[in-house]
Amino acid sequence: MKRQIFAPEHDAFRETVRAFLAREVLPYYEQWENDGIVSRDAWRAAGKQGLLGLAVDEEYGGGGTADFRFSAVLAEEFTRAGAPGLALGLHNDIIGPYLTGLATEEQKRRWLPGFCDGTLITAIAMTEPGAGSDLQGIRTHAEDRGEHWLLNGSKTFISNGILADLVIVVAKTTPEGGAHGLSLFVVERGMEGFERGRNLDKIGQKAQDTAELFFHDVRVPRENLLGELDGAFVHLMTNLAQERLSIAVAAIAAAEHLLEITTHYVKEREAFGRPLSSKQHIRFEIADMATECAVTRAFLDRCIEDHSRGGLDAVHASMAKWWATELQKRVADRCLQLHGGYGYMTDHPVARAFTDGRIQTIYGGTTEIMKEIIGRSLLG
Ligand SMILES: Cc1cc2nc3c(=O)[nH]c(=O)nc-3n(C[C@H](O)[C@H](O)[C@H](O)COP(=O)(O)OP(=O)(O)OC[C@H]3O[C@@H](n4cnc5c(N)ncnc54)[C@H](O)[C@@H]3O)c2cc1C
């Protein structure tokens, strides 16, 4: 089925992204996987190419478009290339809206030009060793000390944790306030008392640095409070829909790509004197996956369009997230099986997609939490 949602400018952008991947990412990707981190040069190259801050106003150096379809193209192409380690989607679609939507004019002037040219890499730090799905369990706290906030606590599993120059940290500011006692602070590289822990060793997405962060009496200037005091929960809920859609977009792109590779493989590979594709079981496997991908694609493209027109609601974003990522997981497993032993070799694209993709049902809100959100909307 031909996709109807893109216009010629999106197709042209897709070509730009493909050329960027071929030139600036793929030649170095194996090295980054071994290093456990991507190079900062790639971030600067992405800035130069206009791939950062797509939704940021042009006066701060951004692309000036609120059209989410460009973000979808970026996510799709990075996924197809098997290069999730350079986390442009995290920076643009997940962290960008906090800065464009909540920052004061002074903060925008301080941070957005670097955000767009790739010199300020960003992260968002919600999760802690003792609190992930349940953000009310956060212990990191900031005390009002007049001139500044005094920040103490720790975070874990933070994407871009090692590279980040700006980290949006969720901290308790009113201990008795529960979910409504949390605020957002921008912690900057070099602030005294801000330390990074290990670059965590993961089963996939090895080129993506994921780290522990520690805050010991960090004096965060008052002007680094982001958004409303005690307003973090509302700010997070507002922005999580786009985060979830962005993960879902990558998930369906991954599933489609796996299916494409596998369809080709079963036609080429012979067993018992005939191509694998001649066996009914294999044909049904491919037919099942193709159908599930096509149905999911229709829903996802509808979500992308709705979001580009002004915002997808939290419930549909949750549906898209859990459904597409669970589909990605199933398809990755079945495609690996159809590759036999080759599918289990770490340098095979299917094996890489299997391990890289496994996190998708966990971060950005787990499948179980997505179902909670949907269930609550229907059942109270
Ligand atoms: C590679 C990677 C990158 C990440 N990047 C970031 C990042 O950049 N920033 C950030 O803040 N965090 C990040 N995370 C953290 C991620 O968002 C959390 O791991 C996730 O939200 C789950 O939290 P948890 O690990 O504490 O699991 P828990 O919340 O302890 O959950 C454990 C299990 O219990 C289930 N569960 C929990 N509550 C319920 C419930 N009410 N009903 C039913 N089941 C439930 C969960 O679904 C899960 O299956 C990242 C994690 C990884 C692994």
Side-chain angles (χ1 to χ4, degrees), residues 124-127 131-133 156-159 202 210 359 362-366 368-369 372:
I124 183 155
M126 299 175 251
T127 309
S133 303
T156 194
F157 304 144
I158 305 308
S159 304
K202 310 186 293 297
T210 307
I359 184 58
I362 298 172
Y363 60 18
T366 64
E368 294 75 16
I369 296 300
E372 271 296 320

Side-chain angles (χ1 to χ4, degrees), residues 273-286:
R274 306 273 313 274
L276 288 174
S277 58
S278 67
K279 325 276 178 215
Q280 190 189 48
H281 170 76
I282 307 272
R283 301 171 73 81
F284 280 15
E285 282 287 279
I286 298 288

